Amino acid sequence: MTGHLYIVAAPSGAGKTTLVRLLLENDPDICLSVSTTTRLPRPGEQDGREYHFVDVPIFLEHIGEGAFLEWAEVHGNYYGTSKQWIAEQMEAGRDVLLEIDWQGAQQVRKAFPAAIGVFILPPSLVTLQERLSGRGTDSAETIARRMAAARDEMRHVDEFDYVIINDDLHQALANLQSVIFASRLQYESQRQRHSALFAALLR
Amino acid sequence: MTGHLYIVAAPSGAGKTTLVRLLLENDPDICLSVSTTTRLPRPGEQDGREYHFVDVPIFLEHIGEGAFLEWAEVHGNYYGTSKQWIAEQMEAGRDVLLEIDWQGAQQVRKAFPAAIGVFILPPSLVTLQERLSGRGTDSAETIARRMAAARDEMRHVDEFDYVIINDDLHQALANLQSVIFASRLQYESQRQRHSALFAALLR
């Protein structure tokens, strides 16, 4: 049984985080990718649930082995996405979702060409500008920088299989669910999931 | 704007006709392919709605021109699916659904490689046998012949993109709708449908 890998990307301000959270809450058969990190666990965090916690030498060893789909250093801590962990989830028939930017998406596609890319767009330029303006306390320069970053991200929309326009949150959620439900109906997924039925009907 | 072409196939007894009828009743943006025929219109039938009505010389001319995706003679009347009519609907952005068998599906794929194939399966061998047994008045031989035909059809399930198992009718309808909704979310469809938004966001 093989699960699917979904890459979800969006510019800041498109509402991706909320959308993905709602999706995961409503669909027990899909999980968010669990990253590997060298930062220390916070109270309540559990190894393998929020993160895979490792020390720096191990992380550097993983980098050397090419074990990460992508990795980055943020505020002195390392974060990475383990190829093997994703492959294991998929082999166990679990769907995995990666929240990632266009550069990460390109890396992921190299390792998993069957990954299904979904790009979330805001419903209008005005909405995007409003969402990126924050609480009105940010400088024009800061806002302009955010807009430029959003445009850089959106320029890669054509590298994704599906596009969801996040106008109404519940409609956008239904759209994302359609993409996921449809991929579970693909011939190969169905043949694996219903192998006994296929054998009985086609014998 | 380009619509999608869906090919829906199934063995007799899988419940395809009911499923497709429910889909069309609930989705005004998809239409059933309108066939061309040489039989006379019945009271209430309208040219271009139930069928494109033509006379035999015209139909034979169409055959000669290769205008049909597929055609057949049934009880002295000709029936055919016009390539041009389908192409026109798709160019106008309309989704078209063809109810067809595996042989017709192969023909359609040759002319429209982007056609999306959906195969409907019954939930079990027992259910299929029951449905093909009719009202219990048919001979064992007749039933066996129907089962053989169903198996011949099902042997081609792997030529289709999606498989829907018609256990619960409403679940099967939701599945079919997911396939259709997802295809409308593909990058190219969205770029065409929301061209002004794409231009504003990506300029």
Side-chain angles (χ1 to χ4, degrees):
Chain A
M1 183 67 205
T2 315
H4 292 278
L5 178 62
Y6 300 93
I7 311 171
V8 181
S12 300
K16 178 179 71 167
T17 308
T18 308
L19 194 55
V20 167
R21 184 176 52 74
L22 284 176
L23 175 78
L24 296 171
E25 281 173 13
N26 285 283
D27 191 337
D29 296 328
I30 187 163
C31 65
L32 208 56
S33 165
V34 177
S35 300
T36 304
T37 187
T38 58
R39 84 153 166 73
L40 295 174
R42 291 177 190 147
E45 285 185 346
Q46 202 176 296
D47 186 42
R49 193 179 63 187
E50 282 79 12
Y51 287 96
H52 304 288
F53 296 100
V54 298
D55 58 21
V56 174
I58 296 271
F59 198 99
L60 296 177
E61 205 180 298
H62 285 350
I63 294 178
E65 295 162 355
F68 293 121
L69 275 179
E70 42 120 43
W71 64 271
E73 195 192 334
V74 182
H75 305 308
N77 294 311
Y78 290 97
Y79 296 85
T81 304
S82 153
K83 269 185 220 172
Q84 198 195 327
W85 182 85
I86 290 178
E88 281 168 8
Q89 301 303 310
M90 290 169 69
E91 275 160 34
R94 280 187 283 274
D95 288 341
V96 178
L97 190 148
L98 276 171
E99 277 192 76
I100 214 163
D101 67 6
W102 68 269
Q103 281 163 311
Q106 287 188 348
Q107 297 295 100
V108 173
R109 269 184 223 107
K110 270 183 211 158
F112 297 99
I116 296 165
V118 181
F119 201 93
I120 318 290
L121 284 180
S124 72
L125 189 59
V126 171
T127 307
L128 182 66
Q129 283 165 336
E130 281 170 7
R131 291 182 188 165
L132 293 182
S133 300
R135 302 192 184 100
T137 53
D138 299 316
S139 70
E141 201 195 322
T142 302
I143 296 167
R145 209 183 310 120
R146 284 186 197 140
M147 270 305 291
R151 280 196 201 281
D152 277 349
E153 186 69 30
M154 291 192 291
R155 230 162 253 142
H156 296 271
V157 59
D158 61 347
E159 297 164 19
F160 289 74
D161 302 298
Y162 296 99
V163 177
I164 291 173
I165 293 159
N166 190 5
D167 190 357
D168 173 78
L169 183 62
H170 290 281
Q171 185 56 50
L173 176 61
N175 286 345
L176 185 53
Q177 288 171 327
S178 287
V179 168
I180 288 165
F181 293 162
S183 65
R184 291 177 183 157
L185 297 169
Q186 285 171 0
Y187 167 75
E188 189 52 33
S189 296
Q190 289 283 64
R191 191 189 60 79
Q192 291 180 19
R193 186 176 299 112
H194 302 279
S195 55
L197 175 65
F198 273 65
L201 293 175
L202 300 178
R203 76 151 186 268
Chain B
M1 184 66 207
T2 315
H4 292 278
L5 178 62
Y6 300 93
I7 312 171
V8 181
S12 300
K16 177 178 70 166
T17 307
T18 307
L19 194 55
V20 167
R21 184 176 52 74
L22 284 176
L23 174 78
L24 296 171
E25 281 172 11
N26 285 284
D27 190 337
D29 296 327
I30 187 165
C31 66
L32 207 58
S33 164
V34 177
S35 300
T36 303
T37 186
T38 59
R39 85 152 165 71
L40 295 175
R42 290 177 191 149
E45 286 185 345
Q46 201 176 296
D47 187 41
R49 193 178 64 189
E50 282 78 12
Y51 287 96
H52 303 288
F53 295 100
V54 298
D55 59 20
V56 173
I58 296 271
F59 198 99
L60 296 177
E61 205 179 297
H62 284 351
I63 294 178
E65 294 162 355
F68 293 121
L69 275 178
E70 41 120 42
W71 63 271
E73 196 192 335
V74 183
H75 304 310
N77 293 310
Y78 289 97
Y79 296 85
T81 305
S82 154
K83 269 185 219 173
Q84 199 195 327
W85 183 83
I86 290 177
E88 282 168 6
Q89 301 303 309
M90 290 169 69
E91 275 160 35
R94 279 188 282 275
D95 289 340
V96 178
L97 190 149
L98 277 170
E99 277 192 76
I100 214 162
D101 67 6
W102 68 269
Q103 281 165 310
Q106 288 190 346
Q107 298 294 101
V108 172
R109 270 185 223 105
K110 269 183 215 160
F112 297 100
I116 296 165
V118 181
F119 201 94
I120 318 290
L121 284 180
S124 72
L125 189 60
V126 170
T127 307
L128 182 67
Q129 283 165 335
E130 282 170 6
R131 290 181 189 165
L132 294 181
S133 298
R135 302 192 183 100
T137 52
D138 299 314
S139 69
E141 202 196 320
T142 302
I143 297 167
R145 210 181 309 119
R146 284 185 197 141
M147 270 304 291
R151 279 197 201 279
D152 277 349
E153 187 69 29
M154 291 192 291
R155 230 162 254 144
H156 295 271
V157 61
D158 61 348
E159 298 165 18
F160 289 74
D161 302 298
Y162 296 99
V163 178
I164 292 172
I165 294 159
N166 191 5
D167 191 355
D168 172 78
L169 183 62
H170 291 281
Q171 184 57 52
L173 176 62
N175 286 345
L176 185 53
Q177 287 171 326
S178 286
V179 168
I180 288 165
F181 293 162
S183 64
R184 290 176 184 158
L185 298 168
Q186 286 171 358
Y187 167 75
E188 189 54 31
S189 296
Q190 290 284 65
R191 191 189 59 78
Q192 291 180 20
R193 186 175 299 112
H194 301 280
S195 55
L197 175 65
F198 274 64
L201 293 175
L202 300 178
R203 72 149 189 272

